[in-house]
Amino acid sequence: MKDNILLKKSFDTSNFSGVEMKKFLQKKIMLKHLYIEKALSTPEISKITNLSAPTVISLLNELIKEQIVIEKGTGNSSGGRKPNLFGLNAEQILFLAIDIRNYYTLITIFDINNTPVTEIRKVDVRLVNKIEVMDLIVEESNKLIELSGINKKCLISVGVSFPGLVDSENGINYTYFDIKGGIRAYLEAKFDRPIEIENDARIRALGELKFGLAKGLQNVLVIDVDWGIGLGMILNGKLYRGNSGFAGEFSHINIVEEGLLCACGKRGCLETVASAGALTELAKEELRQGKLSLLNEMTGNDINAVNSELIIQAAIDGDQFAIGLFDKVGKKLGKGIASLVHLYNPEKIIIGGKLSRVNDYLIAPIYQMLNKFCISKVREDVVIEVSTLNENSGIIGAAAFVMESIFNAEN
Amino acid sequence: MKDNILLKKSFDTSNFSGVEMKKFLQKKIMLKHLYIEKALSTPEISKITNLSAPTVISLLNELIKEQIVIEKGTGNSSGGRKPNLFGLNAEQILFLAIDIRNYYTLITIFDINNTPVTEIRKVDVRLVNKIEVMDLIVEESNKLIELSGINKKCLISVGVSFPGLVDSENGINYTYFDIKGGIRAYLEAKFDRPIEIENDARIRALGELKFGLAKGLQNVLVIDVDWGIGLGMILNGKLYRGNSGFAGEFSHINIVEEGLLCACGKRGCLETVASAGALTELAKEELRQGKLSLLNEMTGNDINAVNSELIIQAAIDGDQFAIGLFDKVGKKLGKGIASLVHLYNPEKIIIGGKLSRVNDYLIAPIYQMLNKFCISKVREDVVIEVSTLNENSGIIGAAAFVMESIFNAEN
DNA sequence: AAAACTTTGTAAATTTTTTTACAAAGTTTT
DNA sequence: AAAACTTTGTAAAAAAATTTACAAAGTTTT
């Protein structure tokens, strides 16, 4: 597997001759399309690449000899001989995907078709800013690799998703594990593999783009409403990172003049009025004022036991008080989203995260605010949907991210 | 000039053979780089295109025969024979650029190097939503073409910049001239040429990207503070339009809860507190309250005669009252910009438009607000500068836009 | 079910492109 | 100022890619 054309770091093109470079680039393009389309026929590749059928076949034969491409049976024809299909050799090219979340971490191994080839390992570890946490995750990853029985040489890259201000290009997470040389270099040494790191909100946006409700779309905002509010952006069909990879800090834009103190140190951030934390605080406050709710029964009248999980459950069970809370939080969020709609003119906004589980109770007030605050022409352009990707969106996205970085590499 | 390779609309590639298509694409890439770099040597083109020197020379000779490329003398060498340089044949490829503004319209003809080949014609026409306005502009454009004495066949396209909700792709301005079939089709019939239309804020952003302070940068916001607040965005090195070309409606995001009524029909838009209009209203209000200012002398104590031009002049002349007004308006604007910095993580923000003429009096309060409301890591990433492009940024941008649409065309 | 039409696959001929080799035109070093 | 080195430009040889022609394998029509 060494000298695998997909391994950009170990693949040196600097002393390639003209023809070699040309072939290399042609193969890269072919592999990219084989990745996207899963299986393609010779004539299809010929059309995509503007190469003649004999050239395509000779390149494919080389890739088959290199064990990167395999035959995938025959496809359908609209009146003529059925074509042979070719695709990537899934078993030979594997990725480790790690999704580090606040209260647990998910680890699994994907093949090149983004199909998991092992169980999804859940590690119960609280995310705190200590390198020991990362060491534990590496250890658990290695255990998974051992258990899986895969050929280690086939594992060609690792993708990591975590919260924080992540500079993906330079491999630094400024919020967690901000060690000298950057966390990516640290992990590359530990795993002896190229590593790709990215912020969790952007990873989820990429997951939606590749496998979720944003598939095939160009301009989509993916908003994750949990303890914070994450924003991942697909603009012009590509993930948007900003200059240093800090774009999408929707959670900390100022919404309330001289408002509550936020975890970030500033006052009146959106997060203080429209997140799981804000929802819980609002619930406690109103319950203390004597409002009636299913929550009273659920907690045995212990107001301090109220948490976002319980509020979500109460709303789903039809509790008017809980639904009212979502209305209030949704309206605050909706006002913020109205600004996003004006700035980005997106075709779709996907809402994910814990709070989105109540579905329409959150979406309806958002729509109300869009109607109130948006220019109608721009408002009419956008659809709001609740993410259909489940808990695993993070690791799916992390794997997609590794693939992206391999197939979109200029090199 | 018919069948000019650059004329995407009249150039039909549908029945090209494999080689013809290949050559066509290779030529397009070469022309694109010749446009960007102005002049290139054979070895340089060879490196860029991954084609061998003999191939490059043979393609260049074909383009020279087609009168699209010309020799441009010899370049320098770092120790060896001096290369022949090649470039686009500027005289043969001309564009009409039209910048429609609220109180006047600018028209000129550019060559392919974005150098004007005629005077810049100023037409005093107030922009109102009547097609007669556009007819007048077309008439004036034709006069300019006649007077210039250029070969009409060399004029291959027209670029139009105007305010409004512009869907560039479909050729519609929903705010002005929203006639059946779209204003682009209307103009294409009138001029008998392919037309490109775009919103003025985005045109200016493109102007900054190609010829201004955003040159070579990837993520830049261009904010124009005039009667409204225009926002043009360069994201990932490309102009961002949004789904239907409505992105950048910064002017109408809600800033003040139940604030003043805006021209758009909504309340509390940014425009109502941070624009030339807001500045003037604020000045009048405070003067009525008896505040002292140079403006009293300038207007002979006629408060109703106060306008933004006078306030700008007073500030430049050192009037503390006027400077104070810019501080207030700048802070409102700065708070809005702080949100943009969080969302986009840009490397530069360029402020243009009338109000930017006071330079630091507007920029300083913006910086203050960024320091107050931004996460420091994101704040440190961004520089705010005042545009150096003069009044002509609109037509320069319009010409650049036409070039962009030609050289970035997939076709 | 045979005939007519489509599409894919492949070998040979043709064309295009690259490579090689070397001459031409400079620059730098000694 | 000559020698040594670099880079560009070009013709001929070699290699690669496309085109052409046709066989193979289907589908649709009659």
Side-chain angles (χ1 to χ4, degrees), chain B residues 179-358:
Chain B
I179 56 178
K180 209 187 152 192
I183 186 64
R184 182 174 64 195
Y186 184 82
L187 290 173
E188 280 180 346
K190 289 259 175 187
F191 280 113
D192 192 25
R193 294 278 184 295
I195 310 278
E196 302 290 342
I197 69 169
E198 187 51 283
N199 165 275
D200 56 352
R202 283 198 290 272
I203 283 282
R204 267 191 290 275
L206 199 67
E208 294 288 348
L209 179 66
K210 296 294 164 186
F211 307 105
L213 295 170
K215 215 168 175 174
L217 301 183
Q218 291 292 306
N219 302 299
V220 179
L221 305 181
V222 180
I223 299 175
D224 210 70
V225 194
D226 221 294
W227 280 99
I229 302 168
L231 170 62
M233 297 174 268
I234 306 297
L235 306 180
N236 289 331
K238 287 178 71 178
L239 194 63
Y240 179 69
R241 295 207 165 80
N243 185 44
S244 311
F246 304 153
E249 271 303 331
F250 188 41
S251 206
H252 299 291
I253 65 173
N254 185 275
I255 286 285
V256 185
E257 196 101 28
E258 299 299 320
L260 294 171
L261 191 66
C262 177
C264 76
K266 308 272 178 189
R267 288 186 172 280
C269 298
L270 180 61
E271 190 173 307
T272 64
V273 294
S275 64
L279 181 80
T280 311
E281 286 310 310
L282 189 64
K284 287 179 180 173
E285 200 183 306
E286 296 200 359
L287 286 172
R288 276 191 211 103
Q289 290 166 10
K291 293 259 177 88
L292 298 176
S293 165
L294 264 182
L295 286 165
N296 294 315
E297 291 173 39
M298 292 165 90
T299 61
N301 284 311
D302 176 6
I303 290 178
N304 286 325
V306 168
N307 60 37
S308 57
E309 290 292 339
L310 292 174
I311 304 171
I312 291 166
Q313 194 51 55
I316 291 171
D317 292 348
D319 180 51
Q320 286 303 311
F321 172 75
I323 292 169
L325 294 175
F326 277 100
D327 187 70
K328 282 173 191 158
V329 166
K331 277 182 176 156
K332 300 274 186 194
L333 185 60
K335 201 176 156 186
I337 292 178
S339 294
L340 296 186
V341 169
H342 274 157
L343 291 171
Y344 293 96
N345 178 216
E347 55 199 302
K348 189 180 276 188
I349 293 178
I350 299 171
I351 311 276
K354 204 192 278 182
L355 297 205
S356 71
R357 294 214 317 263
V358 300

Side-chain angles (χ1 to χ4, degrees), chain A residues 174 219 233 240 243-244 246 248-249 252 254 266 335 342-345 371-374 377 381, chain B residues 174 219 233 240 243-244 246 248-249 252 254 257 266 335 342-345 371-374 377 381:
Chain A
Y174 286 98
N219 302 299
M233 297 175 268
Y240 179 69
N243 185 45
S244 311
F246 304 153
E249 271 303 332
H252 299 290
N254 186 275
K266 309 271 176 188
K335 200 176 154 185
H342 274 157
L343 291 172
Y344 294 97
N345 178 216
N371 290 329
K372 181 168 180 190
F373 289 114
C374 288
K377 204 85 204 153
D381 248 33
Chain B
Y174 286 98
N219 302 299
M233 297 174 268
Y240 179 69
N243 185 44
S244 311
F246 304 153
E249 271 303 331
H252 299 291
N254 185 275
E257 196 101 28
K266 308 272 178 189
K335 201 176 156 186
H342 274 157
L343 291 171
Y344 293 96
N345 178 216
N371 289 329
K372 181 167 179 189
F373 288 113
C374 289
K377 204 84 204 155
D381 247 34

Side-chain angles (χ1 to χ4, degrees), chain B residues 71-127:
Chain B
E71 284 206 31
K72 287 203 152 186
T74 51
N76 285 337
S77 163
S78 61
R81 181 169 169 176
K82 287 181 175 174
N84 292 329
L85 296 179
F86 299 87
L88 296 175
N89 188 356
E91 291 91 56
Q92 292 277 352
I93 304 162
L94 304 175
F95 301 90
L96 186 67
I98 302 177
D99 179 24
I100 304 176
R101 312 184 62 139
N102 278 302
Y103 291 94
Y104 58 91
T105 288
L106 299 177
I107 310 170
T108 196
I109 298 170
F110 283 95
D111 68 19
I112 212 167
N113 293 324
N114 291 288
T115 310
V117 297
T118 67
E119 50 145 0
I120 293 170
R121 193 180 187 92
K122 186 174 174 184
V123 184
D124 284 305
V125 56
R126 176 105 170 74
L127 173 58

Side-chain angles (χ1 to χ4, degrees), chain B residues 19 23 26 50-52 54-55 77 79-82:
Chain B
V19 192
K23 274 196 175 181
Q26 286 166 347
N50 277 308
L51 293 169
S52 67
T55 310
S77 163
R81 181 169 169 176
K82 287 181 175 174

